[in-house]
């Protein structure tokens, strides 16, 4: 396996870089879109259940079918990486919109009432009170979405764009285990590293959560 890495380092590095881009760009896009969508589901309670149902339907669409169907809608080529980015952005929004809504709904009403009594208006209340309190729930959903995207990118190799999934295809075509093992190991390491980074970010932006756990212990 080490010899394969040495002889094909450029190929493996290119596949890894593509995998990172295809997995993490949709996370950023989906997170940015999910925040206002999830907020609307809380701000207008009659939207909450339709939002949850729609997100459930979107997330249940098979990834390969979505990869193949999007070119028809977007007018892109089947092998375009844009299809992967858009598809995974849809999955990310479907997962995170509900998480954002549930996180905001979990904020204690006494906290928001106290902030309102102190003069916090709607926008400041959301940014300074509700979002920080809901952040542990939101970031937990972000961890799931990120790891899920890293896994789903490999499915894109079936349409010719798949980051580390290309190593799987190469290995199966050549009946050669080394690229398959390298692809699996790098995918697992990438998912673990991304999850660890989000955990560290969560600890940095929600220091009070650690004190609460310490007090409870």
């Amino acid at each position: 396996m080490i010899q394969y890495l040495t002889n094909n380092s450029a190929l493996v590095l290119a596949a890894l870089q593509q995998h990172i881009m295809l997995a993490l760009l949709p996370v950023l896009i989906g997170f940015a879109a999910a925040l206002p969508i999830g907020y609307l589901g809380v701000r207008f309670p009659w939207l909450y259940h339709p939002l949850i149902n729609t997100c459930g339907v979107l997330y249940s669409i098979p990834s390969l079918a979505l990869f193949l169907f999007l070119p028809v809608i977007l007018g892109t080529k089947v092998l375009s990486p844009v299809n992967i980015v858009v598809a995974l952005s849809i999955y990310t929004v479907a997962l995170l919109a509900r998480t954002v809504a549930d996180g905001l709904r979990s904020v204690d009403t006494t906290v928001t009432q106290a902030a309102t009594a102190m003069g916090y208006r709607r926008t400041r209340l959301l940014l300074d009170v509700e979002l920080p309190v809901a952040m542990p729930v939101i970031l937990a959903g972000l961890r799931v979405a990120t790891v899920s995207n890293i896994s789903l990118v490999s499915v894109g190799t079936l349409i010719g764009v798949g980051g580390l999934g290309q190593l799987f295809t190469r290995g199966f075509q050549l009946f050669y285990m080394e690229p398959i093992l390298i692809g699996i190991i790098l995918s697992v390491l990438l998912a673990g590293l991304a999850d660890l980074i989000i955990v560290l970010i969560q600890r940095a932006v929600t220091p009070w959560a650690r004190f609460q756990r310490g007090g409870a212990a």
Side-chain angles (χ1 to χ4, degrees), residues 80-92:
S80 174
V82 173
N83 301 322
I84 308 295
V85 172
V86 173
L88 295 187
S89 297
I90 291 173
Y91 286 133
T92 303

Side-chain angles (χ1 to χ4, degrees), residues 65-81:
L66 189 57
F67 292 159
L68 294 173
F69 186 63
L70 279 175
V72 179
I73 300 176
L74 301 176
T76 55
K77 296 180 180 179
V78 175
L79 299 182
S80 174

Side-chain angles (χ1 to χ4, degrees), residues 123-177:
T123 301
R124 189 182 174 197
L125 179 65
L126 173 65
L127 296 178
D128 292 351
V129 179
E130 293 175 321
L131 274 179
V133 174
M135 197 56 67
V137 176
I138 295 173
L139 289 179
L142 185 64
R143 291 171 63 187
V144 175
T146 303
V147 172
S148 176
N149 277 9
I150 291 173
S151 174
L152 285 174
V153 167
S154 296
V155 179
T157 194
L158 297 176
I159 62 171
V161 184
L164 293 172
Q166 298 173 41
L167 299 179
F168 303 155
T169 303
R170 187 181 182 89
F172 285 124
Q173 290 174 341
L174 300 176
F175 298 100
Y176 196 40
M177 282 299 298

Side-chain angles (χ1 to χ4, degrees), residues 46-130:
W46 59 271
L47 277 178
Y48 178 77
H49 290 292
L51 171 67
I52 298 305
N53 294 335
T54 301
C55 289
V57 170
L58 289 175
Y59 201 75
S60 67
I61 300 174
S63 56
L64 182 57
L66 189 57
F67 292 159
L68 294 173
F69 186 63
L70 279 175
V72 179
I73 300 176
L74 301 176
T76 55
K77 296 180 180 179
V78 175
L79 299 182
S80 174
V82 173
N83 301 322
I84 308 295
V85 172
V86 173
L88 295 187
S89 297
I90 291 173
Y91 286 133
T92 303
V93 171
L95 182 61
L96 288 183
R98 176 171 184 169
T99 303
V100 170
D102 288 343
L104 292 175
R105 281 162 59 96
S106 70
V107 178
D108 195 331
T109 55
T110 58
V111 174
T112 57
Q113 289 171 357
T116 302
M118 293 173 62
Y120 280 71
R121 295 185 180 276
R122 170 51 56 186
T123 301
R124 189 182 174 197
L125 179 65
L126 173 65
L127 296 178
D128 292 351
V129 179
E130 293 175 321

